[in-house]
Amino acid sequence: MCKIRAIKRTFTLFLLISLASMVLTGCWDRTEINDLALILAAGIDKGKNNNIELSVLVFIPRPQQSGQGTEMSSGGSSGQSFVRSAEGETIADAMARLQEALTRKIFWGQSEVILIGDKLAKKGISEQIDFWMRHSEPRIRADVLVAKGKAKTVLKAIPELEKDASIQLRKIVKSHIGVRVTVKDLLQMLSHKSNAAVLPWVENLPPSQMDTKKAIPIIKGAAVFKDGKMVGRLSDKETRGILWPRNEMKSGVITISFKGEKGSISLNLLRSHNELIPSIKNGKWSMRIKSNADVEVFQNTTEFNLFDPTVIKKAEKKVVDEIEERERFVMTELQKKLNADILGFGDEFEKKYPQIWKKNRDQWDEIFPEIAVSFDTKVKIQRTGLADEKHKRGAER
């Protein structure tokens, strides 16, 4: 009996030691963060002899010394981030050459921004986006933008408030003041029958007189693509016009004024909902853009009393006119000049009229410019603010 108990104790002890060794054993294939070159953003440009130039904003993890800032340069840097570039016949080839020039293993898991130079954008981006979807490390939810000039130049910019261009651009696109498109979104747009897409347009503000070395990247409008190639640009005003039908208008200020009246009224957007309603009657295709928006008065420099219901209705009608004017303006650009369905009209017709769409989808490029577009916009001023009390008192006297 004692012998059996001894055997059981020995077996139990052996089992505990085995389990403990499994828990305490380190990962044989682990990679230390100090062995990685973390990519914060990537830039793709047209290189020499039809090559692809790949530029990356690299972050090197290291202890932050007192008083030391973050620097970027095209070569080596004593700071924590810098830009490095390499050319190749494809992105994969350029990526391999880039790895050869770095002592640490490139890690794409932190890359949240992809910039495309305008020359490459005009040549075509389908192959580059296809690579980004196939590669296992880069995030498919990384934001994609088009840069005026070279993407590498934008990556080198040093913003005044943020550590690098990557953080600057990410925060701007998240503010919903313009279009926001990820790698996944872009691939979906380019795979649709309309084969049209829109991407934010990035420019570097010139260095200020206070600091002649710093250029600040900003988003200024949008780039329009058809068949994978950039075919045109939209201004800031035109870009705001496409945000309503794309149901992406999340924030913004609308300022209205009245003919013959001094001053203006600025209103802040609280919420909006937008809907595309397609219709095919007697062989005629039409689209109704329905929008509902709630706003509040930010500032009133007119003599109007916003406690008067008649004045409120007049102001709401003026806001409706402003919104629809922007939409009409951009629809003329998209239908008559660019012939690019970046608003998803084709998808809505396919959902509602699948059989008719199936018969006519090959003629979409001829149908889209002829679609009759109408607007149904409703605006409600929810809050006028207490500052108008002076107008109220004036009206009572």
Side-chain angles (χ1 to χ4, degrees), residues 136-199:
S136 60
E137 281 190 4
R139 297 183 178 183
I140 61 173
R141 297 197 178 276
D143 293 299
V144 187
L145 310 96
V146 177
K148 179 182 179 181
K150 301 203 71 172
K152 178 170 66 174
T153 304
V154 176
L155 290 182
K156 291 181 181 179
I158 305 178
E160 293 178 335
L161 298 179
E162 307 301 341
K163 290 184 178 180
D164 53 56
S166 171
I167 298 176
Q168 169 90 358
L169 294 173
R170 287 206 319 270
K171 288 191 175 182
I172 293 177
V173 295
K174 287 180 180 179
S175 66
H176 300 291
I177 60 174
V179 293
R180 184 181 185 185
V181 181
T182 65
V183 174
K184 182 180 178 181
D185 297 332
L186 179 57
L187 190 67
Q188 289 176 341
M189 286 189 282
L190 294 177
S191 64
H192 289 172
K193 185 59 185 178
S194 60
N195 202 12
V198 60
L199 293 175

Side-chain angles (χ1 to χ4, degrees), residues 78-115:
S78 59
Q80 290 184 318
S81 57
F82 61 93
V83 174
R84 197 58 77 76
S85 303
E87 286 194 21
E89 296 182 12
T90 63
I91 292 185
D93 185 28
M95 190 180 294
R97 295 174 184 269
L98 197 60
Q99 182 62 79
E100 293 173 359
L102 295 172
T103 57
R104 301 189 181 192
K105 185 181 184 303
I106 292 177
F107 179 71
W108 291 91
Q110 297 297 317
S111 179
E112 296 189 45
V113 173
I114 299 175
L115 277 168

Side-chain angles (χ1 to χ4, degrees), residues 160 203-209 211-218:
E160 293 178 335
E203 295 183 8
N204 267 348
L205 279 179
S208 64
Q209 294 181 352
D211 192 340
T212 59
K213 294 182 180 181
K214 291 185 178 181
I216 304 172
I218 61 168

Side-chain angles (χ1 to χ4, degrees), residues 4 6 116 125 165 187 200 239 243 351 376:
I4 294 174
I116 302 171
I125 63 171
L187 190 67
T239 302
L243 293 178
K351 292 176 185 176
D376 179 9

Side-chain angles (χ1 to χ4, degrees), residues 1-16:
M1 180 67 71
C2 294
K3 187 176 181 181
I4 294 174
R5 289 178 180 175
I7 293 174
K8 287 183 177 180
R9 285 197 297 268
T10 304
F11 177 77
T12 304
L13 182 61
F14 174 77
L15 185 61
L16 290 174

Side-chain angles (χ1 to χ4, degrees), residues 17-265:
I17 294 174
S18 299
L19 290 174
S21 64
M22 292 175 63
V23 174
L24 296 176
T25 301
C27 298
W28 65 271
D29 61 344
R30 68 179 180 181
T31 302
E32 297 288 351
I33 192 170
N34 289 336
D35 297 328
L36 298 176
L38 305 180
I39 306 302
L40 302 179
I44 314 172
D45 289 301
K46 183 180 178 183
K48 300 176 181 177
N49 301 322
N50 292 322
N51 280 344
I52 296 295
E53 183 180 25
L54 176 64
S55 303
V56 291
L57 178 60
V58 185
F59 177 75
I60 303 297
R62 64 180 63 171
Q64 184 74 35
Q65 297 178 3
S66 176
Q68 182 180 356
T70 300
E71 300 178 8
M72 286 189 301
S73 69
S74 58
S77 171
S78 59
Q80 290 184 318
S81 57
F82 61 93
V83 174
R84 197 58 77 76
S85 303
E87 286 194 21
E89 296 182 12
T90 63
I91 292 185
D93 185 28
M95 190 180 294
R97 295 174 184 269
L98 197 60
Q99 182 62 79
E100 293 173 359
L102 295 172
T103 57
R104 301 189 181 192
K105 185 181 184 303
I106 292 177
F107 179 71
W108 291 91
Q110 297 297 317
S111 179
E112 296 189 45
V113 173
I114 299 175
L115 277 168
I116 302 171
D118 58 1
K119 288 185 179 180
L120 181 62
K122 293 173 183 176
K123 181 182 177 183
I125 63 171
S126 298
E127 293 180 358
Q128 284 70 40
I129 298 303
D130 178 70
F131 167 82
W132 236 257
M133 287 296 296
R134 292 175 184 273
H135 199 290
S136 60
E137 281 190 4
R139 297 183 178 183
I140 61 173
R141 297 197 178 276
D143 293 299
V144 187
L145 310 96
V146 177
K148 179 182 179 181
K150 301 203 71 172
K152 178 170 66 174
T153 304
V154 176
L155 290 182
K156 291 181 181 179
I158 305 178
E160 293 178 335
L161 298 179
E162 307 301 341
K163 290 184 178 180
D164 53 56
S166 171
I167 298 176
Q168 169 90 358
L169 294 173
R170 287 206 319 270
K171 288 191 175 182
I172 293 177
V173 295
K174 287 180 180 179
S175 66
H176 300 291
I177 60 174
V179 293
R180 184 181 185 185
V181 181
T182 65
V183 174
K184 182 180 178 181
D185 297 332
L186 179 57
L187 190 67
Q188 289 176 341
M189 286 189 282
L190 294 177
S191 64
H192 289 172
K193 185 59 185 178
S194 60
N195 202 12
V198 60
L199 293 175
W201 177 265
V202 180
E203 295 183 8
N204 267 348
L205 279 179
S208 64
Q209 294 181 352
M210 298 296 292
D211 192 340
T212 59
K213 294 182 180 181
K214 291 185 178 181
I216 304 172
I218 61 168
I219 294 177
K220 196 173 183 180
V224 178
F225 287 76
K226 184 71 180 291
D227 297 325
K229 298 180 180 180
M230 179 179 162
V231 294
R233 275 193 57 208
L234 299 177
S235 65
D236 276 337
K237 183 178 181 180
E238 292 169 330
T239 302
R240 287 191 290 271
I242 69 173
L243 293 178
W244 292 96
R246 284 172 60 92
N247 207 27
E248 294 179 3
M249 198 66 183
K250 305 301 181 184
S251 63
V253 175
I254 301 174
T255 299
I256 58 175
S257 57
F258 301 88
K259 189 175 181 180
E261 299 288 343
K262 294 182 180 180
S264 58
I265 302 174

